[in-house]
Amino acid sequence: RIAGSLADAAPLRVREETPPAGAARPCFCVPHTRAAPPVAAWGRAGRQTATMGRGAEGASAAAAGVAGHDLTHTVAKHLDKHLVLPLLEFLQTKGCYDDKSILRAKLALLEKTNMIDFAIDIYKLLEGAEEAPASMVAMRQGVLDKMQSLIEQAAPIVQFLSDPQKLASLQPDREYNLALLKANGIGDEQVESLYAFAKLQFDCGNYSAAAEFLYHYRTLTRSEEKAFNALWGKLGAEILMQNWSVALDDLNRLNEGID
């Protein structure tokens, strides 16, 4: 797993005035996420109404009160970076912290992932810049080069898994499946490349593809350790897509493996 932390991010600053209506911001830190349940919208509407009634001073006091009980910074030290991003999105909707402090925290996290396009958008929003700095452009190109390399390595097995007829031919028997793959020109090296490819998909924010490839990888790899690590990654992807029932099944499998 990738250990996530807010340790080197700038401290979040409590908002000191009524939250202004900001411009629309990109919300693709959690791709393929379902719409928030209605209760979330009710909560936002209630907060907005209360803010209007209290005025700036009341809103500031309420924000400071909520921020005083916020454990995000403590919890985030034990979470993967991708799981921290939705927490920051939630804090931003609550209006407890200054928008720029939230954006800086997001940027500090994103710079340690491969979600470079999102990081560039946050940077431009923070700095009022039209162009990304050369370091971020170079980082983006590096991610693209790595992606291209892994696509080429994993192409045979990805193409196999993308064929419905071939996919249907797989059985619960690992050795049978590996023999079938070998008959199609796919060896252990290509199987292992699927793990690296899925991990990069996750780090780029493509959680749907990551979950699918990690699922297939677990059924094919001969490494029990990597299969267990892949289950951690799949759990994270399912949580980020809000596939709660699937995530619970994965969590139970992890509990069994740890026991």
Side-chain angles (χ1 to χ4, degrees), residues 21-254:
R25 57 186 183 278
C27 253
F28 46 89
C29 64
V30 188
H32 317 294
T33 301
R34 299 170 185 165
V39 66
W42 297 342
R44 285 194 296 272
R47 288 192 297 273
Q48 290 169 357
T49 301
T51 298
M52 293 173 62
R54 290 192 302 265
E57 183 178 349
S60 178
V66 174
H69 298 283
D70 177 32
L71 297 176
T72 301
H73 194 281
T74 301
V75 173
K77 297 176 183 179
H78 306 284
L79 295 178
D80 181 277
K81 300 175 185 66
H82 293 257
L83 292 172
V84 177
L85 286 170
L87 300 183
L88 294 178
E89 288 284 342
F90 175 74
L91 290 177
Q92 198 164 13
T93 64
K94 292 279 287 184
C96 299
Y97 299 104
D98 177 73
D99 273 346
K100 285 194 173 183
S101 68
I102 291 285
L103 291 174
R104 290 191 187 96
K106 285 183 181 180
L107 186 59
L109 288 174
L110 290 168
E111 288 178 337
K112 298 179 180 64
T113 73
N114 287 328
M115 299 172 69
I116 308 303
D117 286 337
F118 191 13
I120 288 174
D121 286 342
I122 296 294
Y123 174 87
K124 290 179 179 179
L125 193 60
L126 270 172
E127 304 298 332
E130 295 184 1
E131 300 293 334
S135 59
M136 298 184 80
V137 173
M139 190 181 302
R140 183 179 188 276
Q141 187 58 50
V143 172
L144 292 176
D145 292 343
K146 184 177 181 180
M147 177 69 76
Q148 183 59 40
S149 175
L150 288 176
I151 287 175
E152 294 173 0
Q153 294 175 34
I157 190 168
V158 169
Q159 290 173 2
F160 182 95
L161 296 173
S162 300
D163 187 321
Q165 291 185 341
K166 291 181 178 180
L167 188 60
S169 66
L170 295 176
Q171 303 295 324
D173 187 327
R174 176 177 298 166
E175 294 304 320
Y176 171 87
N177 291 337
L178 291 175
L180 180 62
L181 290 175
K182 188 174 181 179
N184 284 267
I186 302 171
D188 289 345
E189 184 178 348
Q190 284 76 31
V191 171
E192 292 307 313
S193 70
L194 187 63
Y195 178 83
F197 185 59
K199 185 175 182 296
L200 183 60
Q201 292 290 332
F202 182 93
D203 206 28
C204 289
N206 190 357
Y207 307 121
S208 178
E212 181 178 356
F213 291 140
L214 288 172
Y215 168 80
H216 290 301
Y217 174 79
R218 292 189 65 251
T219 65
L220 297 172
T221 183
R222 298 180 188 274
S223 171
E224 294 298 328
E225 180 181 358
K226 281 192 173 182
F228 191 70
N229 290 339
L231 186 55
W232 277 110
K234 184 174 180 296
L235 172 63
E238 300 294 356
I239 290 174
L240 288 161
M241 293 189 293
Q242 299 185 25
N243 292 335
W244 305 121
S245 60
V246 180
L248 179 59
D249 290 340
D250 290 341
L251 183 61
N252 289 332
R253 292 189 184 95
L254 282 169

